[in-house]
Amino acid sequence: MTDFTDIPVNLARIRARIAEAALRANRPAEAVTLVAVSKTNPVEAVAAALAAGQTIFGENRVQEAAGKFPQLRADWPALRLHIIGGLQTNKAREAVRLADVIESLDRPKLAAAIAEAIVKEGRAPKLLVQVNTGDEPQKAGVPRAEAEDFLRACRDSWNLPIHGLMCIPPAEEDPRPHFLHLAELAARHALPVLSMGMSADFEAAIACGATHVRVGSAVFGARG
Ligand SMILES: *Cc1c(COP(=O)(O)O)cnc(C)c1O
């Protein structure tokens, strides 16, 4: 794992690369938000990033986020948490309690559970629909062909406002066609948020219109 002293340096480098990629795409640097993916990294690593001005974090697992973030929020009111991992229905309520954004809404049962949790908690995180753009069987996300019907169902059946889309392209493929597909889908549904791009491909994602990039290892170091 990276020494915590590397984290501010890594963050500055990533921010510079984001700004350059945005500029190349004729987009303002502020059009792209960095979500620092802190999964598997300890609270001290998140605190080091906060001290370096990073306020938005992504976590895969609700349990891990519940263990790390409540104590940090008390000290850093600007902190924002995105849940970005596949979400079990029985974790929906805790996710709604903890998260500012849930990026991994991908099926009717989860939509129903989140809708119910929002009522019970009196708190509504922003919601992104995760699309399995490569239709990979092992991957979370609504299948590509079902995405539009699912977006409509979120609105009409569960009264859930959807703010955007998220995808994780297949590891072995050129991610660009996947990013472009997601961008077209978002444009067609007038969704303002496009969460795409990770450590290896965030510049390509920015070229394709990403508004949020989720960068983990390039900020915090390789995961053990
Ligand atoms: C782990 C993870 C990331 C960050 O991946 P890196 O390659 O470490 O940047 C982004 N998005 C999701 C959904 C992840 O699970």
Side-chain angles (χ1 to χ4, degrees):
M1 198 205 312
T2 316
D3 191 80
F4 300 146
T5 57
D6 288 345
I7 290 171
V9 181
N10 293 344
L11 274 169
R13 285 203 189 108
I14 296 296
R15 288 191 194 119
R17 285 173 60 189
I18 288 172
E20 284 160 21
L23 220 65
R24 282 196 298 275
N26 291 314
R27 305 175 59 205
E30 311 81 64
V32 184
T33 300
L34 172 61
V35 179
V37 177
S38 50
K39 65 185 181 199
T40 76
N41 287 282
V43 170
E44 292 77 9
V46 180
L50 281 158
Q54 178 64 29
T55 54
I56 305 177
F57 295 88
E59 286 280 341
N60 272 51
R61 298 162 136 288
V62 174
Q63 257 357 87
E64 186 178 343
K68 276 152 75 171
F69 280 84
Q71 74 183 90
L72 289 165
R73 271 194 199 275
D75 294 334
W76 302 89
L79 191 158
R80 296 290 177 267
L81 175 64
H82 291 217
I83 293 292
I84 61 174
L87 190 55
Q88 289 171 264
T89 305
N90 64 8
K91 298 275 167 35
R93 188 151 179 195
E94 195 163 20
V96 164
R97 188 154 53 222
L98 283 170
D100 300 289
V101 181
I102 295 173
E103 299 201 10
S104 43
L105 172 53
D106 66 352
R107 58 195 190 280
K109 270 193 172 162
L110 183 58
I114 288 174
E116 190 185 328
I118 286 172
V119 172
K120 285 187 174 150
E121 293 293 328
R123 178 174 201 282
K126 289 190 172 179
L127 301 172
L128 310 187
V129 165
Q130 180 177 356
V131 182
N132 187 356
T133 58
D135 287 333
E136 295 171 279
Q138 82 285 6
K139 197 165 270 177
V142 61
R144 196 171 162 126
E146 295 168 23
E148 304 219 63
D149 281 347
F150 184 61
L151 282 169
R152 279 187 277 272
C154 285
R155 186 190 58 207
D156 299 340
S157 305
W158 298 288
N159 195 27
L160 290 176
I162 302 298
H163 288 88
L165 302 176
M166 185 270 253
C167 77
I168 309 170
E172 309 302 327
E173 284 181 34
D174 179 358
R176 284 175 187 80
H178 296 270
F179 293 154
L180 290 171
H181 175 77
L182 203 72
E184 278 166 28
L185 189 59
R188 209 170 325 134
H189 290 263
L191 300 172
V193 173
L194 258 183
S195 173
M196 55 192 199
M198 318 201 297
S199 291
D201 56 14
F202 69 87
E203 283 143 326
I206 290 167
C208 296
T211 65
H212 290 65
V213 293
R214 307 177 310 272
V215 180
S217 49
V219 170
F220 293 105
R223 287 180 292 273

